[in-house]
Amino acid sequence: MFGLELIKFKRELTQNFSDCFATLKDELGNVPIEIQNDAFINGAIVGVCDAYLDQQQVHKKSSRALILDAVFEEIYRRESVQVQTKVDDWFQQQDSAFFEGHKQASTGIEHSARLKWLSEFAQQNFESANNLIL
């Protein structure tokens, strides 16, 4: 896998997830805090990424990790590392909600359909973020 292809995949996925959660973001671009703590939706985010990267035949673990890190930075910004730590914990603990979200998000063959499902799920289950300016 050439570096240019990885850059393309990273750019595409970060834009996809930015668009996916756009309706829930506040004026500063932050998603609701509840999403950070939800095992199901974070499992779904990883599931969408895994399915996309499988389709693109990106199998190298370090390449996948780099791309997933960029996606989490796009979604969670400063809280990215904290959320990724939770994701690792859910994975290690075999959290049922995390793996159910992963399973549901990685089904189907079309990447755009998986993103649409995730966007609709997020809109139905989370309220838009609100920042308070004092």
Side-chain angles (χ1 to χ4, degrees), residues 16-81:
N16 288 164
F17 280 100
S18 180
D19 295 345
C20 179
F21 293 113
T23 59
L24 294 175
K25 292 180 181 178
D26 63 16
E27 295 83 25
L28 299 175
N30 299 310
V31 295
I33 293 173
E34 295 80 17
I35 289 178
Q36 296 174 21
N37 301 313
D38 191 278
F40 182 88
I41 198 157
N42 282 286
I45 291 166
V46 174
V48 169
C49 289
D50 283 348
Y52 174 83
L53 294 173
D54 287 346
Q55 285 180 327
Q56 302 304 324
Q57 298 180 3
V58 177
H59 302 294
K60 190 174 177 184
K61 191 174 181 178
S62 60
S63 297
R64 293 172 78 96
L66 229 140
I67 292 170
L68 194 58
D69 181 60
V71 166
F72 274 81
E73 284 181 12
E74 176 62 34
I75 297 169
Y76 297 114
R77 307 203 183 273
R78 289 187 345 203
E79 290 80 18
S80 173
V81 173

Side-chain angles (χ1 to χ4, degrees), residues 102-116:
H102 188 282
K103 178 182 168 187
Q104 286 189 30
S106 58
T107 58
I109 45 177
E110 228 178 85
H111 179 64
S112 60
R114 288 189 295 267
L115 283 166
K116 183 178 182 208

